[in-house]
Amino acid sequence: MVRQLLFFVLWMVVLAPAGVAQQAAANSLEEITNLLHAKDQVLMDAVTAGDPKVWDAALAPDVIYLDEAGDINSRADLLKQIQPLPAGVSGKIKVNDYKVTVHGDTVNAFHADDEEETFHGQLLHARYLVTETWQKTNGEWKLLLVHVYAVLHEPPMQKSSQQELDAYVGRYSAGDLAYVISRDGDHLVGGREGKPTSTLNMELRNVFFISGQLRTRKIFQRDTADKVTGFVDRREGVDVVWNRMN
């Protein structure tokens, strides 16, 4: 009986407070997540409404905002951009997949923003991945840092005749490297010599892409006789040149 009483006292003194603290921490994380999720949704609603006042209240004075175009915006830069949408354009942005990690009074947040836009009668869809740093100052959460990444979508593929595809078949060199392109039925495959091949999808004439590698395009070059002479691997405007080998 005495041992049971001692165990009960030990549980009350040591284990129970720890459990209560863990529960409080879990509730705190949930509350912070819900609060910042709601704040970010209001911010996105303000973007489509063209209302900068909500952003003015949420941004820290020295905020850094790296947008989907790769431009670094100050607080003043960002507020100037939040304006009503032009005539013929409307839309909405839904904040999804919200996750946070808490480090004292600082929070790192991640969310995926799904946008639907009506552009002069056409329905467009876009998706953005966003990371943020919030800091609690004088009891208020302020945005310190935002990084927006626009998710790339695969473009429509074009069909081409076997004869036209055969014009690209061959071996290409870049320094001491070789790239081999062959036709497999109604499409092309290519890869570094001795390495696995990938399907080359035609986006436009002379422009090909590989599924899952949407930052890169293979752009083929032709001479005055319309014969393929090589191609460039272009990624973010930077080219690696491959010349056709005889």
Side-chain angles (χ1 to χ4, degrees), residues 6-246:
L6 287 175
F7 177 80
F8 176 75
V9 171
L10 178 64
W11 182 86
M12 290 294 292
V13 173
V14 179
L15 301 181
V20 171
Q22 290 174 359
Q23 183 62 41
N27 290 339
S28 177
L29 176 61
E30 182 179 1
E31 289 170 0
I32 292 172
T33 302
N34 292 339
L35 175 63
L36 295 184
H37 189 175
K39 281 182 173 291
D40 269 314
Q41 185 60 67
V42 170
L43 289 172
M44 292 301 100
D45 293 341
V47 169
T48 54
D51 182 6
K53 295 192 296 295
V54 177
W55 285 84
D56 189 28
L59 297 176
D62 55 350
V63 65
I64 297 175
Y65 190 100
L66 178 59
D67 65 24
E68 63 274 19
D71 295 326
I72 300 174
N73 299 274
S74 66
R75 189 178 194 278
D77 295 332
L78 182 59
L79 291 176
K80 284 190 297 186
Q81 295 178 33
I82 302 174
Q83 299 179 2
L85 297 174
V89 180
S90 63
K92 60 182 179 180
I93 302 173
K94 182 68 174 176
V95 179
N96 295 313
D97 303 330
Y98 208 89
K99 300 176 179 64
V100 304
T101 56
V102 181
H103 309 276
D105 288 335
T106 303
V107 169
N108 290 326
F110 165 84
H111 49 95
D113 297 347
D114 294 297
E115 179 183 28
E116 288 187 1
E117 178 182 345
T118 301
F119 184 80
H120 299 274
Q122 299 185 55
L123 183 60
L124 308 177
H125 297 273
R127 184 172 174 87
Y128 305 94
L129 303 182
V130 184
T131 54
E132 299 171 331
T133 299
W134 292 80
Q135 187 174 59
K136 197 171 189 179
T137 306
N138 298 325
E140 293 187 59
W141 289 102
K142 298 290 186 180
L143 266 175
L144 288 177
L145 177 67
V146 182
H147 183 190
V148 183
Y149 169 78
V151 177
L152 302 178
H153 297 277
E154 293 201 1
M157 292 183 292
Q158 304 294 322
K159 293 294 184 181
S160 184
S161 67
Q162 293 183 359
Q163 180 179 359
E164 184 171 0
L165 292 177
D166 285 340
Y168 302 101
V169 171
R171 297 178 75 246
Y172 300 80
S173 67
D176 59 346
L177 298 175
Y179 193 94
V180 180
I181 296 177
S182 59
R183 180 170 60 81
D184 183 6
D186 60 354
H187 64 276
L188 296 177
V189 295
R192 299 249 183 114
E193 199 164 47
K195 302 290 185 180
T197 61
S198 300
T199 298
L200 304 181
N201 303 301
M202 180 180 285
E203 183 175 357
L204 299 168
R205 186 175 188 260
N206 297 329
V207 179
F208 291 78
F209 69 94
I210 296 173
S211 294
Q213 300 180 21
L214 300 180
R215 294 170 60 199
T216 301
R217 293 294 189 274
K218 288 178 169 50
I219 304 174
F220 287 81
Q221 302 163 321
R222 294 174 180 261
D223 60 18
T224 56
D226 203 35
K227 181 180 178 180
V228 173
T229 59
F231 69 90
V232 297
D233 260 323
R234 178 167 296 170
R235 186 174 69 180
E236 279 91 55
V238 179
D239 292 344
V240 174
V241 180
W242 296 81
N243 296 307
R244 192 166 197 167
M245 302 168 65
N246 293 329

